[in-house]
Amino acid sequence: MAGIIAPQRTRKSRKPTGKPNPPIILLTGPEKSGKSYEAARGSSSELIGMTYWIEIGGTEGTADYYGRVPGAAYEIVPHDGSYQDILDAIRWVNHQPRVDGKPNMLVIDSMTSLWDMLSDEIAMYARNRAIAKAQRNRSRIPTLDDPVVIDSDLWNRAKDRWGEVLWLLRRHQGPCLLLARTEIVTAFENDKPTRNTTRKVKAEKNLPAAVDAIVDLHAIGEAWLTGVRTLHMDIKPGESQRFHDFTVDTLLRRLGLQDAAESRSTSELRPDASLQEPGQQPEQPAARQAARPAPGLTGEQAAKLIRDALMHPTDPENALRELREEHGRRTLGAVKTDTAWGVMSADDLITKSLDHLKTKAEQAKNGQDEGTPSSAETSSHASGDEEKSGPTDRDEPEPAGEGTPPPPDPATEPPAPEQPEDVSEAEEPQDLPRPRPAQANRVNKVMAVLLTEAEVQARILGMTMSEHLEAISDPSNEGTPPPMVKLRSHVVEHRPMVIGLLEERGERDIANAYRLAGKPELKIASMFATLYSDLATTG
């Protein structure tokens, strides 16, 4: 099929640097073969500035004990055991500065436990999905003895979460040492089992292809180099080589860490959700082409998302940060928004809003709230629509510049009444009396309690908050909580399922207390404090 032959943008080629990447090493072996010991001993390498140790699973609990290994010099990075907190621990390590100009090493013990956790998560999700389906169809709810099929979409999800971990590891500016167990399995030939056995890494099957070197410890002191990518040592392709007197320091030197670049050279793929090639769209009338939205995020859409985040009833600052994390600074920086201050990128508009929220918080603390712009100007500045906001008694807004004040904090000031065309169907009619400040505070408190209960339910059901509230959320207003009435009905409807899971886990006291909880329950955070200590305190 014919395609475009002319280049679409200016490029400039470059010569190769010849420097190796900071290596990602996979250290495998059966249990009690010395993997953690070698990792602890390798932290004493003179090529390393500091070693950070992330222990996943904790079944062996060797991170503290192996600090007694002669020469060991590493620090343990704590986490709460959840997938998101493990990701954040890796991000924290990636942002630590070098020590004496030497790269830091990251040790993850072990990748086997990480993959087991992701597999357990989708198994729990599949069971909860089967229970919800049975409840909708009014059929028998599967018990713990009934097998539940894990659909392929859940396995794809687990692989995506695994891939995000590897994505962060590739951005670590130093060597990574990944530990994983091996197991003896039956060897297959032509998809048929044989009498022979082979060693298999107990983790996601593509892990060996993602690393630079694989060292298999068959027993204590017996190491084999089964795969490597290096020009600093003579190797024979296609066969395993015995690694005599193996140490992590020796392996790092043979991989050329002393000559490595400061950061890893990567070329990430960027899948496109649209399968249409440029210039291959079918002919359409001019009116239909003008009405069709442009691909990606437009300036008008970005302004609306920022305005909705600023109008968040409880935490506008977090809503803005989640918006930036969801779309990425590169995407937001390329989107231009037309505001009352002039044309600026969506990322700059979020930065201005965050700075102003911080300023307003300091003013509120010091009692200096006089002379601040009203919340009606927030949506006006964020959307660039001055006609809808109406005239004010203030001076005309200043042009864009460093002295221009960002939008005010809607959480500290009552929002201005919206125009009829901006009111969504989920909001109450405009002819109802506006709530008094005391009523508004009570509504915000009840909303926070319901969101806390929804977060508790999502954790117990093994899903994210957005997945749990997907059925009642408005897809056009991402990051905005659902209406309070729908949220209350949603959490009350899921209480029996959560109570059943609590009883299966042996948490009968919490299950009984939750069964008698109010609707809403103002002390929901303290009720589940023994399970999740990081819940916000309400009531």
Side-chain angles (χ1 to χ4, degrees):
M1 183 178 65
I4 300 175
I5 60 174
Q8 300 300 292
R9 66 183 181 91
T10 304
R11 304 175 189 273
K12 185 177 180 180
S13 60
R14 65 177 180 85
K15 294 183 179 181
T17 62
K19 294 184 177 182
N21 288 322
I24 300 178
I25 302 170
L26 178 60
L27 191 59
T28 67
E31 59 277 1
K32 311 301 184 294
S33 58
K35 301 183 295 297
S36 301
Y37 177 86
E38 291 295 343
R41 189 169 63 158
S43 63
S44 63
S45 173
E46 295 181 355
L47 301 177
I48 301 301
M50 174 57 69
T51 298
Y52 296 97
W53 192 299
I54 299 180
E55 188 172 38
I56 301 176
T59 55
E60 298 177 356
T62 57
D64 281 301
Y65 181 48
Y66 281 167
R68 301 179 60 178
V69 173
Y74 61 86
E75 294 182 358
I76 301 174
V77 182
H79 57 85
D80 62 9
S82 65
Y83 168 77
Q84 292 296 339
D85 204 46
I86 291 173
L87 277 184
D88 199 59
I90 299 176
R91 296 189 192 102
W92 182 86
V93 173
N94 290 353
H95 281 76
Q96 298 311 301
R98 294 187 169 213
V99 178
D100 298 331
K102 300 176 182 179
N104 300 326
M105 183 168 69
L106 171 59
V107 176
I108 296 186
D109 185 10
S110 68
M111 300 297 285
T112 299
S113 298
L114 176 62
W115 180 245
D116 287 344
M117 183 190 73
L118 296 177
S119 301
D120 292 341
E121 284 182 347
I122 62 173
M124 294 171 59
Y125 190 93
R127 182 166 294 277
N128 294 334
R129 175 187 285 181
I131 293 175
K133 183 178 180 180
Q135 290 178 339
R136 289 195 304 267
N137 298 336
R138 299 179 181 272
S139 57
R140 186 179 70 88
I141 296 178
T143 64
L144 292 177
D145 297 329
D146 295 331
V148 175
V149 177
I150 301 179
D151 297 328
S152 58
D153 67 309
L154 295 181
W155 283 113
N156 292 336
R157 172 132 193 186
K159 287 180 177 291
D160 290 342
R161 291 161 77 88
W162 173 270
E164 189 169 357
V165 173
L166 296 181
W167 186 87
L168 286 175
L169 294 179
R170 288 192 292 269
R171 272 141 189 82
H172 177 62
Q173 296 184 354
C176 296
L177 188 57
L178 313 181
L179 278 56
R181 293 198 308 271
T182 55
E183 55 186 358
I184 305 299
V185 297
T186 302
F188 281 73
E189 184 176 354
N190 298 328
D191 296 333
K192 293 182 180 180
T194 64
R195 295 182 179 181
N196 301 324
T197 59
T198 184
R199 294 175 179 269
K200 180 182 178 182
V201 179
K202 195 173 186 300
E204 201 274 330
K205 64 180 182 180
N206 294 317
L207 177 60
V211 301
D212 299 298
I214 305 173
V215 177
D216 191 7
L217 300 179
H218 290 189
I220 297 178
E222 182 182 354
W224 291 80
L225 186 64
T226 61
V228 67
R229 182 188 299 117
T230 181
L231 298 176
H232 281 70
M233 58 185 296
D234 295 331
I235 56 175
K236 297 179 180 180
E239 66 179 16
S240 300
Q241 298 183 15
R242 179 71 182 270
F243 201 131
H244 297 283
D245 299 328
F246 167 75
T247 64
V248 173
D249 178 72
T250 302
L251 179 59
L252 292 177
R253 294 181 186 277
R254 293 187 180 181
L255 293 177
L257 179 60
Q258 63 275 12
D259 302 326
E262 290 189 1
S263 60
R264 190 174 185 87
S265 175
T266 58
S267 179
E268 299 289 350
L269 299 179
R270 300 173 58 187
D272 194 344
S274 174
L275 299 181
Q276 292 286 349
E277 299 294 337
Q280 299 297 322
Q281 290 84 356
E283 293 291 334
Q284 294 186 3
R288 291 183 59 187
Q289 288 185 353
R292 185 178 59 188
L297 188 67
T298 64
E300 183 178 2
Q301 292 172 343
K304 183 179 184 302
L305 291 174
I306 296 174
R307 180 181 59 190
D308 293 341
L310 283 168
M311 302 301 291
H312 192 279
T314 57
D315 195 351
E317 181 178 353
N318 186 54
L320 287 170
R321 296 187 186 278
E322 289 181 350
L323 178 62
R324 172 177 280 169
E325 181 178 358
E326 177 182 358
H327 293 279
R329 303 196 66 161
R330 179 176 299 180
T331 300
L332 294 173
V335 176
K336 300 299 181 182
T337 57
D338 189 7
T339 70
W341 300 307
V343 178
M344 68 179 66
S345 69
D347 185 65
D348 291 340
L349 185 57
I350 291 178
T351 301
K352 278 181 171 289
S353 302
L354 288 172
D355 291 341
H356 180 75
L357 291 177
K358 182 178 179 180
T359 303
K360 285 302 298 281
E362 295 176 354
Q363 290 179 352
K365 183 177 180 180
N366 299 328
Q368 301 174 356
D369 291 335
E370 298 182 358
T372 56
S374 66
S375 179
E377 294 176 303
T378 301
S379 58
S380 174
H381 285 298
S383 63
D385 192 351
E386 298 181 353
E387 296 180 0
K388 291 185 180 180
S389 62
T392 63
D393 295 332
R394 302 174 185 264
D395 297 333
E396 293 295 324
E398 300 177 1
E402 296 182 356
T404 305
D409 182 3
T412 59
E413 299 178 8
E418 297 177 311
Q419 296 295 335
E421 59 270 22
D422 291 337
V423 179
S424 65
E425 298 178 358
E427 296 179 355
E428 298 180 354
Q430 294 297 308
D431 56 349
L432 294 179
R434 296 180 60 187
R436 294 188 297 273
Q439 293 176 335
N441 293 335
R442 184 178 183 278
V443 169
N444 291 338
K445 182 177 181 180
V446 172
M447 191 68 179
V449 169
L450 292 174
L451 289 173
T452 302
E453 183 172 358
E455 180 182 357
V456 170
Q457 291 184 348
R459 294 187 183 185
I460 295 176
L461 295 175
M463 60 181 67
T464 63
M465 186 77 160
S466 58
E467 292 172 346
H468 184 41
L469 302 181
E470 181 179 5
I472 59 174
S473 299
D474 185 3
S476 61
N477 292 326
E478 295 183 4
T480 303
M484 187 169 61
V485 176
K486 289 186 177 181
L487 180 59
R488 177 181 177 275
S489 301
H490 187 73
V491 297
V492 171
E493 178 184 351
H494 284 77
R495 281 187 177 184
M497 188 186 311
V498 174
I499 292 172
L501 292 175
L502 288 171
E503 291 178 343
E504 291 177 3
R505 300 178 186 179
E507 304 290 345
R508 299 189 181 277
D509 293 339
I510 299 179
N512 292 333
Y514 192 36
R515 187 178 288 108
L516 302 176
K519 304 175 182 179
E521 176 56 53
L522 298 181
K523 298 187 179 300
I524 189 69
S526 59
M527 183 181 298
F528 287 88
T530 57
L531 293 180
Y532 310 107
S533 58
D534 58 337
L535 292 176
T537 303
T538 57

